[in-house]
């Protein structure tokens, strides 16, 4: 890649001439001599091979090419300043990235709110979000690939912050044979039907959470796929209520009238990597995740402004 001929300082000088109305005013703001400012701009024009300014009376006015280049240079200078700020924050212990792994059943609306609020406070810190299912979350945390983890399981040897419950409900298509029985259902009724379950993304000790030993079992890779299968009439499943509200309203899914166990409410927990010190950005994100975890999913939301 060819090295740039024009420096950031030269672009800043041109911006000062335009923003403050002339060479003398720019020299005063930049604490430089007027001749130095004039030379810098003239040198820029020679290096670029296009005129940037023209003299109109006593005022320097941008040429058409100068206007285009100036607009692009503002973004360039801004990005350079942000890069320098990031380096300063990292020198103070601020993280360049926070890695968050979340169980796919956790409401994404809560994540969106927390991450939206985190953005203006992040100081350039990126968030790498990863979704896993069941024991996959625990494996990622234990492998050291995540800084924070949200899971519905208790992880041995870790102290987690308790989050809200997620309601799973047993559902099937309204025309499914289980609904045609037109009565309260029991365990034996379910055993004779096909159940759709979600594949555990963990590799070490995958779990068959929620499977009842039904005669047939179809295993799918995501909750969204399970919802599509079941709403199309293929089997029954326990699915998070927040993910299937639309299907319930439209009538493509209907709650199964079970005599017991039709609704499950596992608690979710927020864990941090105990082998890595919590940086300031990670601590801020933890507080935001806990704060927005308790807010109703349908509540009006506006991200807080940066202080």
């Amino acid at each position: 890649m060819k090295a740039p001929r024009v420096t950031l300082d030269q672009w800043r000088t041109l911006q000062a001439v335009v923003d403050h109305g002339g060479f003398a005013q720019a020299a005063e703001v930049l604490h430089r001599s007027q001749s130095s400012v004039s030379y810098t701009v003239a040198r820029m024009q020679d290096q670029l091979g296009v005129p940037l300014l023209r003299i109109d009376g006593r005022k320097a006015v941008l040429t058409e090419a100068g206007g285009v280049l100036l607009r692009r240079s503002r973004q360039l200078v801004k990005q350079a300043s942000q890069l320098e700020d990031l380096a300063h924050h990292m020198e103070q212990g601020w993280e360049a990235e926070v890695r968050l792994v979340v169980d796919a059943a956790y409401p994404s609306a809560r994540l969106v709110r927390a991450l939206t609020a985190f953005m203006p406070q992040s100081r350039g810190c990126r968030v790498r979000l990863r979704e896993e299912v069941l024991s996959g979350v625990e494996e990622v945390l234990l492998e050291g690939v995540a800084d924070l983890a949200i899971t519905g399981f208790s992880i041995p040897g870790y102290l987690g912050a308790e989050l809200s419950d997620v309601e799973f409900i047993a559902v099937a298509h309204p025309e499914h044979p289980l609904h045609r029985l037109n009565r309260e259902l029991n365990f034996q009724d379910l055993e004779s039907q096909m159940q759709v379950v979600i594949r555990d993304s963990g590799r070490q000790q995958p779990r068959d959470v929620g499977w009842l030993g039904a005669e047939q079992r179809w295993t799918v890779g995501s909750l969204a796929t399970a919802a599509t299968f079941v709403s199309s009439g293929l089997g029954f499943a326990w699915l998070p209520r927040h993910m299937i509200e639309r299907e319930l309203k439209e009538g493509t899914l209907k709650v199964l009238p079970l005599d017991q166990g039709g609704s499950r409410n596992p608690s979710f927990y927020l864990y941090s990597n105990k082998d890595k010190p919590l940086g300031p950005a990670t601590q801020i994100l933890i507080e935001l995740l806990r704060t927005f975890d308790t807010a109703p999913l349908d509540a009006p939301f506006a991200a807080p402004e940066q202080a």
Side-chain angles (χ1 to χ4, degrees):
M1 183 181 293
K2 185 171 64 174
R5 289 175 290 181
V6 178
T7 66
L8 290 172
D9 180 67
Q10 287 175 300
W11 287 119
R12 290 190 179 102
T13 302
L14 177 65
Q15 291 173 16
V17 171
V18 174
D19 294 344
H20 297 284
F23 293 97
Q25 295 90 331
E28 184 176 349
V29 171
L30 297 173
H31 305 291
R32 292 164 58 181
S33 67
Q34 182 174 339
S35 60
S36 172
V37 172
S38 299
Y39 174 80
T40 298
V41 174
R43 177 66 175 157
M44 282 183 71
Q45 295 182 116
D46 291 339
Q47 290 170 313
L48 294 171
V50 293
L52 303 174
L53 297 171
R54 58 181 175 82
I55 304 301
D56 187 358
R58 293 187 175 182
K59 190 173 182 180
V61 180
L62 279 170
T63 63
E64 183 176 350
V68 172
L69 294 174
L70 180 68
R71 287 192 296 273
R72 295 288 297 272
S73 75
R74 292 191 188 280
Q75 186 63 26
L76 178 67
V77 171
K78 179 181 178 181
Q79 290 175 344
S81 296
Q82 290 173 341
L83 188 62
E84 292 171 0
D85 288 342
L86 178 59
H88 175 66
H89 297 321
M90 291 175 66
E91 190 273 332
Q92 293 181 321
W94 197 272
E95 307 93 300
E97 180 179 81
V98 176
R99 301 164 300 173
L100 172 63
V101 58
V102 181
D103 190 294
Y106 186 76
S108 57
R110 291 176 181 151
L111 290 176
V112 168
R113 293 178 177 199
L115 294 176
T116 301
F118 177 71
M119 189 181 301
Q121 305 180 55
S122 65
R123 301 187 188 180
C125 175
R126 300 173 300 179
V127 175
R128 180 174 297 183
L129 178 62
R130 176 171 173 175
E131 280 193 332
E132 296 286 341
V133 178
L134 299 173
S135 70
V137 177
E138 179 179 344
E139 278 190 17
V140 170
L141 181 65
L142 296 180
E143 289 170 358
V145 183
D147 304 306
L148 299 175
I150 294 178
T151 176
F153 290 124
S154 175
I155 301 180
Y158 281 75
L159 292 175
E162 188 169 356
L163 301 177
S164 57
D165 297 344
V166 173
E167 183 185 14
F168 286 72
I169 52 176
V171 292
H173 189 275
E175 298 301 320
H176 189 277
L178 288 170
H179 283 300
R180 290 180 183 174
L181 294 175
N182 293 318
R183 60 172 172 79
E184 192 173 65
L185 304 174
N186 55 40
F187 175 78
Q188 287 72 28
D189 295 321
L190 299 182
E191 274 190 315
S192 64
Q193 299 295 324
M194 184 181 78
Q195 182 180 357
V196 178
V197 296
I198 317 302
R199 180 185 300 111
D200 189 329
S201 64
R203 301 180 305 276
Q204 303 299 324
Q205 294 180 322
R207 305 171 188 178
D208 285 327
V209 175
W211 182 47
L212 295 179
E215 187 174 305
Q216 296 184 69
R217 176 178 71 165
W218 283 14
T219 303
V220 298
S222 71
L223 289 162
T225 301
T228 299
F229 275 34
V230 177
S231 62
S232 299
L234 296 173
F236 70 94
W238 271 265
L239 297 171
R241 180 183 288 274
H242 70 269
M243 294 186 67
I244 57 172
E245 289 288 358
R246 185 181 67 180
E247 288 82 354
L248 291 171
K249 291 179 181 178
E250 293 177 350
T252 57
L253 285 178
K254 184 178 178 181
V255 178
L256 290 171
L258 296 176
D259 59 355
Q260 58 181 350
S263 175
R264 300 168 178 169
N265 297 79
S267 294
F268 276 67
Y269 300 88
L270 173 61
Y271 294 95
S272 60
N273 187 334
K274 66 179 183 179
D275 297 322
K276 179 182 177 182
L278 293 179
T282 305
Q283 294 181 52
I284 290 173
L285 184 55
I286 287 173
E287 289 306 311
L288 290 172
L289 288 168
R290 297 181 66 179
T291 297
F292 288 100
D293 173 76
T294 59
L297 293 177
D298 57 352
F301 167 67
E305 295 182 1
Q306 184 177 8

